[in-house]
Amino acid sequence: PLEYVRVGIIVPLHGRSAVCRNQLKRRLRELTRLRLLTLAVSVDVVLRCRPSAYDQKFGEVEKQIAGIAEAVGARGGAGGEE
C-alpha cells in the first residue's frame, strides 16, 4: 500500500476560458498541498469541481477542502485496501 495521499483534480469546461480553468486548478492544487498532502494516511482523493466553483471565493473553497481533509483524516485511510 501507498504511504501518502494521491489527489486527482477534475475541472469542468462549462464555457469557461482556459485562463479560468487553470486558475481554478492552481487554487485547488495549492489548497491540496496545504491541507491534504500533509495527512499521514494512504488514500486516493479525486476532487471533482462543480461549475459553481468558478464563482466561489478562495476562502469558500478553502473551507470545503478543509472539510475534505478532516473527513479523510478521520477515516484514516481505512477501506478500499486489498
Side-chain angles (χ1 to χ4, degrees):
L2 300 173
E3 297 183 12
Y4 54 89
V5 179
R6 293 191 306 179
V7 180
I9 298 174
I10 302 169
V11 178
L13 297 176
H14 290 282
R16 299 295 179 142
S17 68
V19 173
C20 291
R21 289 192 305 275
N22 289 334
Q23 183 181 29
L24 180 57
K25 286 190 281 188
R26 282 193 304 271
R27 287 180 177 183
L28 291 171
R29 279 195 299 265
E30 178 63 12
L31 290 171
T32 296
R33 185 182 68 80
L34 294 173
R35 299 290 186 153
L36 293 175
L37 296 182
T38 58
L39 300 175
V41 296
S42 174
V43 67
D44 294 338
V45 178
V46 177
L47 300 176
R48 182 179 174 267
C49 296
R50 294 183 175 156
S52 60
Y54 286 107
D55 301 323
Q56 290 184 342
K57 301 289 184 195
F58 187 81
E60 295 170 0
V61 177
E62 184 175 21
K63 287 179 189 176
Q64 292 175 356
I65 297 293
I68 293 168
E70 185 177 315
V72 168
R75 185 173 178 200
E81 284 120 354
E82 297 178 18

